[in-house]
Amino acid sequence: MDGCVLDFQQIDKFSLPLVGGKGANLGEMTRAGFNVPPGFCVTTAAYRAFIEQSDLMETYFGRLEGVKADQLEEITALGNDIRDYLVTVTIPAEIEASVLEHWRQSGEHKSYAVRSSATAEDLPSASFAGQQDTYLNVRGEEQLLQSIRKCWASLFTARAISYRAKNGFDHRSVLLSVVVQQMIFPEVSGIMFTADPISGHRGIVSIDASFGLGEALVSGIVSADLYQVRSGEIVSKKIAKKKVAVFSLPEGGTETRDLPAEMQEKQALSDGLIHELAALGEKIKAHYGTDQDIEWCYEEGRLYIVQSRPITSLYPLPKVSVSPGESPHILLSFGHQQMMTDAMKPMGLSVLRTVIPFIKPSLREESKLTYTAGGRIFIDITKLFNLKPARRLFPKLLSGIDELMASGVAEYVQRDSFVRGLAPVPGLKLHILRFVAPIAGRAVRNLLLASPSQAAQEVKEWTEAFVEQGEARLAGAVGEERILRIQELAGSVLLTLFPRVMPFPLSGIISLRLVQALAEKWLGDKETIHVLNKSLPGNVTSELGLMIGDLADIARKHPEVAAIIQEGKDDSLRSRLHQAEGGEAFLQQWDRFMKLYGMRCPGEIDVTRRRWRDDPGALLPSIENHMRTMQPGEHRERFAQGAEEAEAAARELISRVRELPFGWFKAKLMSRMIRVFRHMMGVREHPKYVMIRLFGFIRQALLEEAKSLVAQGLLQTEEDIFYLTLDEVLQLTRGGATVHLTETISERKRDYERFQALTPPRLMTSEGEIITGTLQRKDAPEGALIGTPVSVGVVEGIARVVLRPDEAKLNKGEIMIAPFTDPGWTPLFHSAIGLVMEVGGLMTHGAVVAREYGIPAVVGIEGATSRIKDGDRIRLDGTRGFVLILHLNEASIEP
């Protein structure tokens, strides 16, 4: 049967549909001249013919379509049945004859490795590696044919079935080739990564090496030396104690043997071979154009490559231009700074890069300090550290946003290798001074002279006027003019808000620090400040949460309305409420809420996200949670009580200060700072609120323009506009080229799906090195998860992991565990007795709102949503900054 068996010399990277990822890579490297042991592939056409000769397999495929990734028992049983069946099926005669012909030509007395090679394996975007079987030291006709059968059957292991179900691969579409390759009986073998798989550093070649066959190393049953090479120099060697190795048996198969004592701590690979292997790795990387995970072995003076595949675990590298001799640039995750680390579509990234005000050739252009990677934005903060004070002060500033991020920056900017290579930036001090001085001057005026209540009112009036101007700016414009105005509006947002509004919350932060420091210095009081944080006046985000409570109170008065809310369905929501008893009263409050906050949503910095007014059903779980966990009016009572407690604490603190020497002056100063703090921190959320309201207008304008582009046949759907950038849409409105537009959008949709599964780093360098900070709490108990304390108090309760607020099911007395929170999560805060987040700092949204509501909170716990399981009983210490798991939820423990 033609095309069922191909030698490596007949195969290249374009042969993937026939020979799978592993086979295509071996053929590609063979034809490129790399030293690959010879062999051949039994193609997917042979597998298809083998499967199609059985009527029973169609029944099995039907059953596979019905299983879900988490149905492990069903998957295991079904997989066992399929594999047991397939190893008994006869290989078609023509295929068997072709296999044996190639085997004899290759050398029937030799030993072979027989490996599975799936068509969705060893790809840049997915790796099925290790899911199917490998058979080593296969000898003779009978062993060969049976090994091929077993490889085909291994496509139906429980792991492989579950992986395909989870990632949406059709079980029929993933075909299997089998690689038959002459065995090498190596003295040493191992794995080489052309980039450090742990740190992500693209300039480091990382080599694992051990004695005997490499499969033992891959499976983890033997220890390996670790060598690292950078710029042709060995920079690290860690020699492992290698107690055992795996070797081939003369009759076929393998065995594990103990190594002699003198070999156990011997360096497996000489320095010369380390250099030679690293150079070979760089050549393979250059051939493929991407970093590679390479399996290699060494026999009788020669290095062999037995496999190479893309490293799928590396976070994508931003395309940063770095001059020769210059330090690697340090890149800060904008998503972590904004408490929204999800991947974004290209339009969301484009709008934000236009909003960021630094290094912009014009108002309409994207910031030249911003880069995208993996659907996220990273800001290049390297130039800032030309100023020596910035290396000390900037990490302190960052600590209020994310302590792990601050720790990472503090460590990296002190490295000699970084400082030595910093490129001079003429005029940097003056540029920063011009930016900072007006903001600082206004903040000092607010701190010392302005009436706090009048200043807060001034912010509200100015921001309202600014939003109205933005709305008017976009009204009536169409086509090219509409996109130009969107770019101008986006480009002006922060450039206007920073100098005009930021001085107000900045004076609030300064006064907070002063009240805290003076209370401790004069009175030894560290506790009152926590009470003063409660129920700040004028906070628009707190008002959002209170209005959710108001909606819940109206709904619970009317059973029909409550039933509609509990159903949680968006279908015909408004018409159903009109028909329900009490529905009109609910809709009146609902419409008021939507007017004020309908442009908000979880992940709201991404302009492509559906807003609450686009998807009102997303709000229903929050209202339902409130109805279940709060009493009527309780939310307003608690907020009023918090305000009363704060006022009483302020009076008591001032009274105590007045009793001190020079008490009249100290009391006056303390009173002033408290009033500034309470009013100015109350407007802390206004800049974000303004930006999101303007984003709401920008989103509407983009969708209106999308309607026109769909009508012209340029876009297939209105949502497709979100897979383009502002500049690309501008070119479309100008009649720009549309060749390959549909393909570009389709490719970006696939990228977006892939990016959603990535975990972005807080910090990385232009070389791909992931920089991780450290948190230490000396008074934390053993086994505790360490984070940053941001709202005091200690609570115990059931952990409820919430990955999306529209799917939250919080019960009374539960502690919310979230990846992050932004204002779109605020409705859930009333229902929780504590908060744990993976991202955040003392001055970020979730921390501020938690303090206002008086619920303990710890943030910055890496991987909290996976390390803490849904239903675990935990103790949250928001004073000392840790979480302790007291009792595991046994239902969540994997078998």
Side-chain angles (χ1 to χ4, degrees):
M1 186 178 288
D2 293 338
C4 282
V5 184
L6 298 173
D7 287 321
F8 287 171
Q9 291 286 358
Q10 298 174 280
I11 297 166
D12 60 19
K13 61 186 177 182
F14 301 108
S15 305
L16 189 143
L18 276 176
V19 297
K22 191 180 274 100
N25 284 339
L26 288 169
E28 178 71 19
M29 286 190 296
T30 298
R31 295 180 64 161
F34 294 109
N35 193 26
V36 176
F40 57 90
C41 289
V42 185
T43 69
T44 55
Y47 165 78
R48 192 190 297 274
F50 174 72
I51 291 295
E52 287 178 350
Q53 71 179 348
S54 165
D55 294 335
L56 189 55
M57 276 307 298
E58 187 56 38
T59 302
Y60 280 129
F61 279 127
R63 290 174 61 187
L64 285 169
E65 289 174 353
V67 297
K68 296 180 180 178
D70 58 353
Q71 293 177 309
L72 298 182
E73 288 187 13
E74 293 90 335
I75 286 174
T76 300
L78 181 54
N80 288 339
D81 288 348
I82 297 174
R83 293 198 310 279
D84 290 344
Y85 166 68
L86 286 178
V87 295
T88 66
V89 176
T90 303
I91 297 175
E94 290 181 71
I95 296 173
E96 180 177 312
S98 185
V99 167
L100 294 177
E101 180 185 350
H102 282 78
W103 169 65
R104 293 187 181 104
Q105 290 175 354
S106 181
E108 60 185 286
H109 299 298
K110 296 182 181 292
S111 295
Y112 290 86
V114 181
R115 293 182 171 93
S116 307
S117 179
T119 53
E121 178 179 60
D122 297 344
L123 307 178
S125 59
S127 179
F128 280 44
Q131 289 187 18
Q132 284 79 51
D133 289 343
T134 292
Y135 300 93
L136 301 178
N137 201 19
V138 173
R139 301 176 64 87
E141 178 179 322
E142 186 178 336
Q143 278 191 20
L144 175 64
L145 295 175
Q146 189 63 1
S147 296
I148 291 172
R149 247 191 231 94
K150 287 180 178 179
C151 281
W152 283 334
S154 72
L155 195 57
F156 302 95
T157 62
R159 180 184 171 193
I161 294 169
S162 180
Y163 185 89
R164 293 196 296 270
K166 181 179 179 181
N167 291 279
F169 288 95
D170 182 357
H171 296 284
R172 289 181 179 84
S173 68
V174 179
L175 306 178
L176 197 73
S177 169
V178 177
V179 174
V180 180
Q181 187 176 27
Q182 283 185 19
M183 278 284 292
I184 298 295
F185 300 100
E187 301 150 40
V188 186
S189 58
I191 304 167
M192 171 169 55
F193 297 93
T194 61
D196 186 345
I198 305 301
S199 72
H201 198 303
R202 299 320 200 262
I204 292 176
V205 177
S206 186
I207 300 170
D208 289 333
S210 193
F211 297 113
L213 291 170
E215 271 73 14
L217 191 154
V218 173
S219 63
I221 66 172
V222 301
S223 301
D225 293 351
L226 171 63
Y227 320 122
Q228 291 192 321
V229 180
R230 183 175 184 182
S231 302
E233 297 293 327
I234 300 173
V235 295
S236 174
K237 283 195 288 188
K238 296 178 181 177
I239 310 302
K241 188 167 186 178
K242 300 171 282 292
K243 295 183 178 181
V244 298
V246 175
F247 298 97
S248 301
L249 293 170
E251 67 273 16
T254 63
E255 70 171 358
T256 302
R257 300 179 200 158
D258 292 335
L259 288 174
E262 65 272 15
M263 290 187 67
Q264 290 184 7
E265 296 187 48
K266 180 181 177 182
Q267 183 174 318
L269 207 59
S270 68
D271 285 4
L273 285 173
I274 293 171
H275 285 293
E276 183 181 342
L277 186 58
L280 182 58
E282 294 289 0
K283 289 179 182 178
I284 296 172
K285 172 182 174 178
H287 176 79
Y288 282 104
T290 185
D291 282 292
Q292 296 289 298
D293 166 1
I294 300 165
E295 294 176 29
W296 60 271
C297 57
Y298 176 73
E299 181 191 47
E300 297 181 353
R302 296 193 70 186
L303 286 168
Y304 293 87
I305 302 301
V306 294
Q307 189 49 247
S308 184
R309 62 179 71 88
I311 306 176
T312 58
S313 60
L314 294 175
Y315 192 83
L317 192 64
K319 296 178 181 178
V320 182
S321 177
V322 180
S323 303
E326 188 181 356
S327 298
H329 288 209
I330 182 169
L331 307 166
L332 180 148
S333 166
F334 181 73
H336 283 83
Q337 190 267 336
Q338 285 293 315
M339 304 301 106
M340 208 295 281
T341 59
D342 291 347
M344 290 185 260
K345 300 183 182 78
M347 181 59 73
L349 298 170
S350 178
V351 169
L352 284 174
R353 295 182 72 190
T354 307
V355 165
I356 294 170
F358 308 114
I359 316 297
K360 289 168 61 74
S362 73
L363 197 64
R364 295 191 299 102
E365 293 189 56
E366 296 177 356
S367 167
K368 301 302 180 185
L369 283 183
T370 61
Y371 300 89
T372 62
R376 280 84 173 179
I377 292 178
F378 292 85
I379 302 177
D380 189 342
I381 56 175
T382 310
K383 292 181 179 180
L384 181 66
F385 300 113
N386 276 276
L387 303 178
K388 193 171 183 179
R391 296 174 214 158
R392 177 174 52 86
L393 296 175
F394 189 71
K396 291 183 177 180
L397 178 65
L398 271 183
S399 66
I401 298 172
D402 189 286
E403 201 173 348
L404 278 171
M405 185 183 286
S407 170
V409 171
E411 180 274 325
Y412 188 79
V413 300
Q414 297 302 326
R415 293 183 187 178
D416 288 340
S417 58
F418 173 74
V419 175
R420 280 199 309 269
L422 285 170
V425 185
L428 180 61
K429 281 186 181 178
L430 183 60
H431 183 78
I432 292 175
L433 186 63
R434 285 174 176 169
F435 179 77
V436 171
I439 297 174
R442 281 176 174 261
V444 171
R445 181 181 69 83
N446 291 336
L447 196 68
L448 302 177
L449 301 173
S451 163
S453 58
Q454 289 180 4
Q457 185 60 32
E458 177 188 334
V459 172
K460 294 172 185 176
E461 291 175 358
W462 183 88
T463 54
E464 194 62 36
F466 183 57
V467 169
E468 290 174 0
Q469 290 169 11
E471 183 180 20
R473 177 70 178 149
L474 296 182
V478 296
E480 176 185 352
E481 183 61 26
R482 173 152 44 199
I483 304 305
L484 287 171
R485 290 189 185 185
I486 288 173
Q487 289 180 315
E488 289 166 0
L489 178 59
S492 69
V493 171
L494 290 188
L495 280 174
T496 307
L497 282 176
F498 268 150
R500 190 67 181 79
V501 178
M502 286 307 294
F504 295 89
L506 178 59
S507 60
I509 294 170
I510 295 170
S511 58
L512 165 64
R513 303 292 191 192
L514 285 172
V515 170
Q516 193 171 15
L518 292 175
E520 187 172 349
K521 180 180 180 180
W522 292 341
L523 301 170
D525 186 338
K526 296 182 180 180
E527 303 303 322
T528 301
I529 189 64
H530 304 308
V531 184
L532 293 176
N533 269 297
K534 290 185 177 182
S535 303
L536 297 172
N539 187 325
V540 289
T541 307
S542 296
E543 278 297 321
L544 182 159
L546 292 170
M547 287 188 71
I548 290 287
D550 295 341
L551 284 166
D553 281 356
I554 295 172
R556 61 163 57 93
K557 291 179 182 177
H558 305 285
E560 290 184 35
V561 175
I564 292 171
I565 301 300
Q566 288 162 353
E567 285 176 16
K569 296 179 181 178
D570 190 20
D571 303 338
S572 307
L573 177 64
R574 194 172 190 87
S575 63
R576 286 189 292 134
L577 284 169
H578 273 304
Q579 296 169 17
E581 183 182 349
E584 294 299 333
F586 181 86
L587 281 171
Q588 186 176 354
Q589 179 72 4
W590 175 272
D591 290 340
R592 181 168 172 263
F593 177 90
M594 286 296 176
K595 182 177 180 181
L596 292 170
Y597 302 113
M599 76 299 296
R600 309 208 83 155
C601 67
E604 61 192 5
I605 63 167
D606 181 359
V607 76
T608 72
R609 290 279 184 104
R610 286 169 62 82
R611 311 283 126 171
W612 280 331
R613 63 188 172 205
D614 303 322
D615 183 17
L619 263 181
L620 300 183
S622 296
I623 300 173
E624 193 270 338
N625 273 322
H626 204 289
M627 290 166 59
R628 260 188 308 108
T629 59
M630 303 285 285
Q631 296 299 313
E634 183 182 348
H635 60 295
R636 292 284 180 185
E637 292 171 8
R638 282 169 55 173
F639 191 82
Q641 182 182 346
E644 290 175 6
E645 290 173 2
E647 290 170 8
R651 288 193 299 269
E652 183 185 355
L653 187 64
I654 293 165
S655 175
R656 291 165 62 197
V657 168
R658 192 175 285 116
E659 299 299 318
L660 300 173
F662 300 102
W664 64 271
F665 172 75
K666 292 177 178 178
K668 188 173 182 179
L669 177 60
M670 181 65 79
S671 176
R672 169 76 188 178
M673 290 303 102
I674 290 173
R675 284 188 293 118
V676 171
F677 159 61
R678 297 268 310 157
H679 284 282
M680 294 300 94
M681 283 299 286
V683 298
R684 176 198 172 278
E685 297 282 307
H686 266 69
K688 181 77 167 282
Y689 182 49
V690 168
M691 186 173 81
I692 298 307
R693 291 176 72 184
L694 294 174
F695 275 19
F697 302 139
I698 289 172
R699 175 183 165 82
Q700 286 179 313
L702 286 169
L703 288 172
E704 284 297 321
E705 192 59 37
K707 288 180 182 177
S708 173
L709 295 172
V710 170
Q712 296 172 53
L714 297 176
L715 297 180
Q716 293 183 342
T717 70
E718 293 171 21
E719 291 282 322
D720 283 353
I721 199 170
F722 294 143
Y723 292 92
L724 302 173
T725 67
L726 284 172
D727 274 338
E728 288 169 341
V729 176
L730 181 63
Q731 294 307 312
L732 281 183
T733 62
R734 290 172 170 173
T738 59
V739 179
H740 305 307
L741 181 62
T742 301
E743 292 87 343
T744 296
I745 291 172
S746 295
E747 182 179 354
R748 289 179 181 178
K749 287 180 178 180
R750 289 192 295 271
D751 286 343
Y752 175 66
E753 290 298 317
R754 180 163 54 90
F755 292 157
Q756 288 185 84
L758 300 178
T759 300
R762 286 171 162 81
L763 298 161
M764 68 189 305
T765 72
S766 52
E767 293 181 320
E769 179 183 1
I770 306 301
I771 303 169
T772 55
T774 56
L775 295 179
Q776 294 182 347
R777 299 281 179 262
K778 293 181 181 179
D779 55 351
E782 185 178 352
L785 307 180
I786 307 301
T788 301
V790 295
S791 185
V792 298
V794 179
V795 290
E796 290 186 10
I798 299 300
R800 186 62 59 206
V801 177
V802 181
L803 301 179
R804 291 179 49 184
D806 58 348
E807 296 176 351
K809 288 293 182 183
L810 281 167
N811 298 306
K812 202 170 186 68
E814 291 185 336
I815 299 170
M816 182 165 71
I817 319 295
F820 54 81
T821 66
D822 63 6
W825 290 67
T826 301
L828 296 176
F829 278 59
H830 282 292
S831 302
I833 62 167
L835 173 67
V836 177
M837 294 193 298
E838 295 179 338
V839 178
L842 191 65
M843 299 313 299
T844 50
H845 160 79
V848 172
V849 176
R851 290 195 294 272
E852 280 198 44
Y853 286 7
I855 62 174
V858 177
V859 302
I861 295 181
E862 193 82 50
T865 57
S866 56
R867 296 165 74 184
I868 302 171
K869 304 299 183 185
D870 204 51
D872 287 352
R873 185 167 186 82
I874 64 173
R875 178 184 300 132
L876 185 162
D877 193 322
T879 304
R880 293 186 288 171
F882 65 81
V883 171
L884 189 63
I885 300 174
L886 302 174
H887 182 71
L888 294 172
N889 175 20
E890 295 180 2
S892 69
I893 300 174
E894 294 183 4

